[in-house]
Structure formats: structure tokens, C-alpha cells
Amino acid sequence: MDPRPIGVFDSGLGGLTALRELRRLMPEEKFVYFGDTGRLPYGEKTLAELRVMAVQNLRLMEQQGVKAILVACGTLSSNTPEILDGFPIPSFGVLRPSVRAMAEAPGDGALGILATAATIRSGAFERALRLACPGREIIPVPCPDLVPLIESGHCSPSDPLLRAAAERYTAALQGASAVLLGCTHYGIVEEALRCFLPAETLLVSAAACGAEAVREFLEAQGLRGAGRGEERYLVSGDPAAFEASASLLLGRSIAGHVRPVPVMRIVL
Ligand code: DGL
């Protein structure tokens, strides 16, 4: 038994899709969520910037006294795996569990990857999928417009701008057996993406895969908590805007649980 909280972070709202899943799997745990909205989108950052940000965010979580960290961000998971692996507190990204889930997906059609520009540029998901599924066609699709659309409130499946982007990004994936939502933000607009894919295409959520990996780890190590479940939120951008969007997304008010933190400077 370990009463310490679990740390979860992302550039903004996306990681809440992982937090939602973590809460469903482990309602008795405490969570500290960091939304780095003062520095999003991560998908447009350079590798050097992402390395600095990964270390800063992990340290911020460490200061919160967490027992494990879910880096609920495909961009950092794919660009900085060595930083996550080397951190003294057990830190999990979404890359490995997502690749495992994609490899286990039924069918032998292509495997699609929808992710941020920086994630696709890293090639990490593609390389890992090629290793796990030799001979399979892998189709990586960078989706630079999705995170800015989602963070500015274009989340409804009937939103014309979102629908146009969803149609464009799924065009190459019509024959895919499975498509990875390789950015945690994309779970928020899953319905819109689903509209433009064949019904039989399996959508794999990187956020849910990451959450399950953390649960497995805590279970195996005997580190599960046994409290009533609590959440705290740290936000580097506008806390009121985050509170409103997050409450909507989670389906309950998080008012009173959000604390602003300064935007951390990136010195290269
Ligand atoms: N949600 C993150 C990811 O999974 C970051 C997206 C962004 O800020 O560009 O990649």
C-alpha cells in the first residue's frame, strides 16, 4: 500500500483522457495533473526543447511527492524515452504500451498512426511498430492542426473546421485495420475522427494504453493506494480557461482544485 499520489502531465487537455482512464481503473488513488498550457503545443517544439521540457516536467512532478508518473503525451514519450527511463521515479510514457496494443489488434491490414508533427518526425512509433509487426504496412500521419483546434474549443463532431481536419488526416487510412490515436488530445475528438474511418477500423487510444501500464506496474509492485481518490491540478497557462475546459471534458467541476504554476523557461 502506498498513499502517495500518481503524477500525470501533458501540454494541456490531452492528458485528461489518460487521467479519466486512470480514475476509472483506480478510483481510490490520488492524482496530481500538470497541464503545461503556457507552453503548448508540444508537437511544434524541437527535439532540444522537448528534452529540456521533459526534465523540467518530471522534476515538477517529483516535487509533488508522487510515487509514479504517467507522461500522458505522445510527443514527449516518442522524443525523450531515455529521459523517462533514466528518471529516479518510475515514469511511463505511452509509446510501448500503445505499440503492444497495436500489435495485438485483429486483422492484417495497414497500421495507421495519427500523431503530432514532432512525434511523427521522431519516427519512434513507426520503428517500434515495424519491429513488433514485421511486413505490415505502417502509415504515419502528422496532424499539426488538431491540438490547436482542440485547445481552442473546436471539439464537437459537428464543428466544420474539426471535420475538415479529421477528413484530411484520415484520408490515407481507409484500408487500415487499426489506427493509433498517438496524441492524447485526439481521444477528445475521437467521434469526429471516427466519422471518416470505416466502422471496422479499430481505434487504439495511446492515453488508455499508458493508463493501463501504470495500473499494471503499481499492482505488480504492491504500490496501490487505498484512499477516497483525490485530484489536484497545476496549470502553467490560464487556470480559469483550463478549469472550464477540463470540467467540461471530465463531466464534473474541478473548481477549487486548480493552482497556477509559473511557465518554466527553456534555456538551451
Ligand atoms: N497531447 C500531447 C501528445 O500526446 C501533446 C500535443 C501538443 O501539445 O502538441 O502528443
Side-chain angles (χ1 to χ4, degrees), residues 194-211:
R194 175 45 79 210
C195 289
F196 298 100
L197 285 167
E200 62 278 12
T201 304
L202 180 73
L203 289 185
V204 174
S205 155
C209 293

Side-chain angles (χ1 to χ4, degrees), residues 10-12 14-15 40-44 72-76 94 116 119 147-148 182-186:
D10 180 37
S11 64
L40 67 78
Y42 281 10
E44 303 304 311
C73 172
T75 305
L76 289 178
V94 298
T116 67
T119 295
V147 168
C183 167
T184 52
H185 276 78
Y186 301 172

